[in-house]
């Protein structure tokens, strides 16, 4: 039954009435009056007027836009069911779908048929036709599609490329969001094990985690989750991928324990031989006076020389580091000394072979010597050594406080040098000085700048000198939402430790040069801390020239 405005519009279209034709103004007005009279006297018959049906139709009209968007193919079935049974089957469909925590990975007809059966159980329907069951299953599929979001790569940035590809390919091929499914699992465990408690003494809310998630063989009951869906082609054989995905959302979204992620990745690689495409935080250990732990294979020796010559070496591979003996008598500022050192380097290469790289140390700055002069001198050295073939030259920064300021000292200098290298397309590499004695390294005090700069420019440096890393920071990490107390008292990374983990997340191996490490035990502690940062050590020599 039409409303009055709909009836008038229908009659007007039938008579082809043009209300803007003012030459027939009086005639048109008479016809409209006639339409209204016909509507009330003839069309609108009170005996045929079903008030309840009209009310139902009006209710449907209010939700028509929503029905069309959420159920584009089945909205008519939903409307007819409502008019016949006075029950909103779409509301029940939504509730049943929302009760399925794994809805994001539903894709088979059987799964949606099961939802349809649950819908009619809630409706207490005695008999259900095959067509109604099929239409309800299709409506459930449409609602799932309406709710489904595309996985965002930005939300998966710390994950291995193989896992990200698995998530994205599954979305494209099967229309499922495995990442959202994993996130829901992590969220459910958070609701179960994380207690939000107001501490009156401090006037703050605290989040107390009661779940011991580290070093578990079956965290988050992943085995059970996997068993439920292992027959799905995109889940079959991906049990470990699924666990890593859930652990990722647990650490980064639920409890913000990002410090454990890199160690967890390495544990998965080591204990389960998971097929991961990207190797991050790979270090090439360099011998420098102290013995590495037995499991660390090292084949590169670090040799220092004041004049470019070396007496002997214990390994085939070596790094030759040229020491700046005096401020005014070194390879940078004294041409005669530079020529002698270059000749000696050539003789060293002839006798001992080509070094992995030649390390030059930044000189002290003066009114007559800055970055511009450093680059000009480097070009001279590079040109003199090009007859030796392919040799990598690296500049070691000097970030320790001294009475004189080195040319490359703090983060601003490093960035300026990096920009110059990029602009001039130089082959010069950079080795970062992270050695700290008596809290005198300025880069450690500028850790945020170091992380922001180097993490975004992973190719700007090829290695670093370091003597130690503070293992841990506060026992309980601070988050934006309050203090997160671990029932098992897991400590958080120190700022420096977290910074090291972040700037080394590149895939290209970096040289680790222990400097001013006092004992083998101290080197072992440094190696152990780097393991906890998620680093691994290259077992062979990488040809990265």
């Amino acid at each position: 039954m039409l409303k009055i405005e709909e009836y008038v519009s229908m009659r007007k279209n039938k008579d082809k009435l043009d209300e803007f034709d003012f030459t027939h103004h009086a005639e048109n007005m008479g016809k409209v009056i006639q339409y209204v009279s016909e509507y009330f006297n003839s069309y609108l018959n009170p005996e045929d007027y079903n008030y309840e049906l009209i009310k139902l139709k009006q209710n449907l009209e209010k939700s028509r836009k929503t029905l069309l968007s959420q159920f584009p193919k089945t909205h008519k079935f939903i409307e007819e069911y409502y008019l016949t049974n006075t029950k909103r089957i779409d509301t029940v469909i939504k509730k049943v779908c929302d009760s399925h925590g794994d809805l994001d990975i539903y894709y088979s007809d059987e799964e949606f048929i099961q939802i349809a059966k649950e819908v009619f159980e809630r409706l207490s329907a005695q008999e259900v036709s095959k067509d109604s069951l099929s239409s309800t299953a299709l409506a459930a599929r449409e609602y799932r599609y309406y709710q489904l979001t595309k996985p965002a790569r930005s939300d998966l940035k710390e994950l291995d490329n193989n896992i990200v590809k698995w998530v994205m390919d599954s979305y494209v091929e099967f229309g499922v969001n495995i990442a959202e499914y994993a996130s829901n699992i992590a969220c459910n465990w958070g609701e179960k094990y994380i207690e939000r408690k107001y501490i009156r003494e401090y006037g703050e809310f605290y989040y107390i985690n009661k779940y011991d998630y580290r070093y578990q063989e079956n965290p988050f009951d992943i085995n059970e989750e996997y068993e439920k869906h292992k027959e799905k082609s995109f889940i079959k054989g991906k049990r470990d991928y699924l666990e890593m995905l859930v652990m990722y959302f647990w650490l980064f979204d639920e409890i913000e324990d990002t410090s454990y992620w890199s160690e967890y990745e390495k544990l998965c690689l080591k204990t389960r031989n998971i097929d991961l495409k990207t190797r991050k935080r790979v270090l090439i250990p360099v011998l420098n006076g102290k013995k590495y732990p037995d499991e660390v294979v090292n084949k590169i020796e670090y040799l220092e020389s004041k004049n470019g010559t070396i007496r002997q070496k214990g390994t085939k591979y070596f790094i030759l580091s040229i020491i700046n003996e005096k401020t005014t008598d070194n390879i940078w500022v004294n041409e005669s000394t530079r020529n002698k050192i270059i000749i000696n380097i050539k003789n060293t290469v002839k006798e001992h072979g080509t070094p992995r790289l030649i390390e030059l140390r930044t000189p002290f700055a003066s009114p007559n010597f800055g970055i511009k002069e450093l680059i000009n001198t480097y070009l001279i050295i590079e040109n003199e050594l090009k007859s030796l073939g392919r040799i990598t030259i690296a500049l070691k920064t000097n970030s320790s406080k001294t009475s004189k300021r080195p040319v490359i000292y703090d983060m601003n200098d490093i960035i300026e040098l990096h920009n110059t290298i990029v602009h001039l397309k130089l082959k010069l590499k950079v080795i970062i000085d992270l050695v700290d004695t008596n809290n005198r390294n300025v880069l450690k005090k500028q850790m945020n700048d170091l992380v922001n700069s180097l993490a975004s420019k992973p190719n700007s440096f090829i290695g670093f000198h370091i003597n130690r890393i503070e293992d841990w920071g506060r026992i309980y990490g601070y988050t934006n939402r309050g203090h997160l107390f671990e029932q098992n008292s897991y400590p958080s990374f120190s700022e420096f430790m977290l910074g090291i983990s972040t700037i080394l997340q590149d895939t290209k191996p970096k040289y680790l040069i222990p400097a001013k490490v006092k004992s083998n035990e101290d080197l072992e502690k440094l190696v152990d801390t780097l393991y906890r940062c998620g680093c691994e050590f290259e077992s062979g020599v990488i040809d990265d020239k």
Side-chain angles (χ1 to χ4, degrees):
M1 186 168 288
L2 300 177
K3 296 179 180 180
I4 185 171
E5 60 270 21
E6 294 172 336
Y7 180 83
V8 171
S9 178
M10 181 270 293
R11 293 286 284 111
K12 185 186 70 173
N13 291 334
K14 184 178 180 180
D15 294 343
K16 297 182 181 180
L17 185 146
D18 182 4
E19 59 264 56
F20 297 107
D21 184 358
F22 296 106
T23 60
H24 298 85
H25 180 72
E27 181 183 347
N28 289 341
M29 185 169 61
K31 285 185 177 182
V32 171
I33 293 174
Q34 180 185 346
Y35 298 155
V36 174
S37 178
E38 288 176 359
Y39 180 79
F40 286 105
N41 294 327
S42 302
Y43 178 77
L44 201 60
N45 187 347
E47 294 180 359
D48 299 332
Y49 193 87
N50 187 328
Y51 291 94
E52 187 62 29
L53 183 61
I54 294 300
K55 185 178 180 181
L56 293 177
K57 288 186 175 182
Q58 288 175 345
N59 290 337
L60 282 176
E61 193 64 35
K62 294 177 182 177
S63 58
R64 186 174 298 279
K65 186 176 181 180
T66 300
L67 288 174
L68 287 172
S69 62
Q70 296 181 354
F71 306 96
K73 295 180 180 179
T74 57
H75 67 91
K76 288 186 178 180
F77 161 74
I78 292 170
E79 293 172 6
E80 290 173 1
Y81 191 91
Y82 178 58
L83 295 176
T84 304
N85 301 279
T86 66
K87 293 181 179 179
R88 292 296 298 262
I89 193 172
D90 55 310
T91 301
V92 182
I93 290 172
K94 294 177 185 179
K95 288 181 179 180
V96 173
C97 285
D98 293 343
S99 69
H100 286 241
D102 43 6
L103 184 70
D104 290 290
I105 59 170
Y106 279 14
Y107 80 104
S108 69
D109 292 337
E110 292 77 10
E111 288 169 318
F112 291 105
I113 286 291
Q114 183 57 42
I115 288 180
K117 291 179 179 179
E118 292 181 36
V119 168
F120 285 110
E121 286 177 7
R122 293 199 184 192
L123 291 170
S124 301
Q126 299 299 320
E127 294 184 5
V128 181
S129 67
K130 187 177 180 179
D131 288 343
S132 294
L133 197 66
S134 177
S135 296
T136 304
L138 179 57
R141 185 185 288 275
E142 287 189 304
Y143 179 68
R144 199 279 312 211
Y145 181 80
Y146 175 79
Q147 294 285 85
L148 188 71
T149 57
K150 181 180 180 179
R153 290 182 180 273
S154 59
D155 295 334
L156 310 172
K157 57 186 177 183
E158 288 293 328
L159 285 163
D160 181 82
N161 289 343
N162 273 356
I163 298 179
V164 176
K165 185 176 186 300
W166 169 54
V167 171
M168 303 306 294
D169 288 352
S170 297
Y171 175 80
V172 173
E173 185 174 353
F174 299 98
V176 296
N177 189 337
I178 302 174
E180 191 66 25
Y181 164 56
S183 178
N184 288 338
I185 294 175
C187 181
N188 291 337
W189 280 73
E191 291 177 356
K192 185 177 180 181
Y193 287 100
I194 298 177
E195 178 185 356
R196 185 174 183 265
K197 189 174 182 180
Y198 182 76
I199 307 298
R200 189 178 300 277
E201 179 183 356
Y202 301 104
E204 293 182 2
F205 280 99
Y206 291 80
Y207 290 75
I208 305 171
N209 173 37
K210 299 180 179 180
Y211 180 57
D212 184 7
Y213 53 90
R214 295 192 178 199
Y215 315 114
Q216 299 287 336
E217 292 185 0
N218 184 28
F220 316 108
D221 290 342
I222 287 297
N223 289 342
E224 290 75 3
E225 288 290 337
Y226 176 72
E227 283 297 318
K228 287 192 298 183
H229 301 290
K230 67 179 182 180
E231 297 306 318
K232 291 182 170 69
S233 57
F234 52 86
I235 294 292
K236 189 174 184 178
K238 298 293 192 298
R239 184 262 177 218
D240 292 329
Y241 276 14
L242 180 60
E243 179 190 314
M244 293 188 73
L245 200 56
V246 175
M247 182 66 77
Y248 175 80
F249 288 112
W250 172 261
L251 295 177
F252 283 82
D253 293 348
E254 295 301 316
I255 66 168
E256 300 178 20
D257 180 16
T258 57
S259 63
Y260 179 58
W261 175 249
S262 53
E263 182 183 359
Y264 170 74
E265 273 191 310
K266 299 307 177 192
L267 285 172
C268 289
L269 278 169
K270 185 176 181 180
T271 61
R272 303 184 197 174
N273 196 27
I274 299 176
D275 179 26
L276 299 181
K277 186 176 182 179
T278 301
R279 297 177 67 206
K280 296 181 180 180
R281 304 180 180 92
V282 180
L283 299 176
I284 305 172
V286 178
L287 287 166
N288 190 16
K290 298 296 182 290
K291 184 178 182 301
Y292 280 92
D294 292 339
E295 74 272 11
V296 178
V297 179
N298 43 81
K299 299 180 180 179
I300 302 176
E301 189 175 6
Y302 184 78
L303 302 175
E304 295 179 326
S305 175
K306 296 178 181 179
N307 58 12
T309 62
I310 56 175
R311 293 183 179 179
Q312 60 182 8
K313 60 187 181 71
T315 64
K316 177 182 178 181
Y317 303 101
F318 67 101
I319 291 174
L320 178 60
S321 179
I322 305 300
I323 299 174
N324 296 328
E325 187 173 16
K326 296 179 181 180
T327 304
T328 58
D329 184 17
N330 58 54
I331 196 170
W332 295 104
V333 296
N334 189 303
E335 183 179 359
S336 175
T337 300
R338 178 167 58 252
N339 292 334
K340 291 178 182 179
I341 293 175
I342 288 173
I343 291 173
N344 290 337
I345 290 175
K346 291 180 178 180
N347 291 332
T348 295
V349 172
K350 184 177 180 181
E351 182 178 354
H352 298 283
T354 304
R356 297 296 299 170
L357 65 86
I358 296 175
E359 179 189 80
L360 305 177
R361 304 187 179 188
T362 183
F364 290 112
S366 70
N368 299 319
F369 198 95
I371 287 185
K372 179 180 178 181
E373 289 72 24
L374 183 144
I375 293 298
N376 290 336
T377 305
Y378 156 74
L379 290 172
I380 294 173
I381 297 171
E382 180 189 65
N383 185 62
E384 290 292 331
L385 295 177
K386 68 180 182 180
S387 61
L388 298 177
R390 192 180 178 188
I391 288 185
T392 300
I393 300 176
L395 178 68
K396 174 185 175 292
T397 67
N398 183 354
S399 300
S400 298
K401 291 183 179 178
T402 59
S403 58
K404 295 182 180 179
R405 193 183 194 284
V407 174
I408 308 300
Y409 177 59
D410 59 17
M411 205 58 236
N412 291 332
D413 297 330
I414 293 174
I415 294 301
E416 183 179 354
L417 176 63
H418 168 77
N419 292 338
T420 302
I421 290 173
V422 172
H423 177 68
L424 298 178
K425 299 180 179 179
L426 303 178
K427 298 178 181 179
L428 179 64
K429 306 298 182 181
V430 179
I431 291 180
I432 304 297
D433 171 31
L434 293 176
V435 176
D436 187 38
T437 57
N438 300 321
N439 197 29
R440 296 174 65 85
N441 189 297
V442 297
L443 292 183
K444 289 183 67 174
K445 293 183 177 180
Q446 302 172 349
M447 202 63 205
N448 287 336
D449 290 339
L450 184 72
V451 169
N452 292 336
S453 300
L454 296 188
S456 61
K457 303 177 180 65
N459 295 325
S460 63
F461 73 107
I462 61 169
F464 56 95
H465 288 249
I466 195 168
N467 62 330
R468 62 187 176 89
I469 303 173
E470 294 84 353
D471 287 11
W472 306 108
R474 292 179 295 273
I475 293 298
Y476 299 116
Y478 183 78
T479 68
N480 292 329
R481 60 184 184 182
H483 293 279
L484 179 68
F485 286 94
E486 294 288 349
Q487 189 177 31
N488 297 283
S489 300
Y490 292 133
S492 60
F493 278 6
S494 67
E495 183 179 2
F496 186 49
M497 191 175 180
L498 183 60
I500 291 293
S501 177
T502 304
I503 64 177
L504 291 179
Q505 63 180 346
D506 180 33
T507 58
K508 190 174 181 62
K510 308 291 185 185
Y511 287 107
L512 166 66
I513 306 174
K516 297 185 179 180
V517 177
K518 297 179 181 180
S519 64
N520 293 340
E521 290 73 19
D522 286 344
L523 180 55
E524 184 176 0
K525 183 178 180 180
L526 173 62
V527 168
D528 183 62
T529 307
L530 288 168
Y531 276 135
R532 292 185 179 277
C533 289
C535 298
E536 62 177 284
F537 292 87
E538 185 57 60
S539 59
V541 177
I542 302 298
D543 187 10
D544 58 352
K545 292 184 180 181

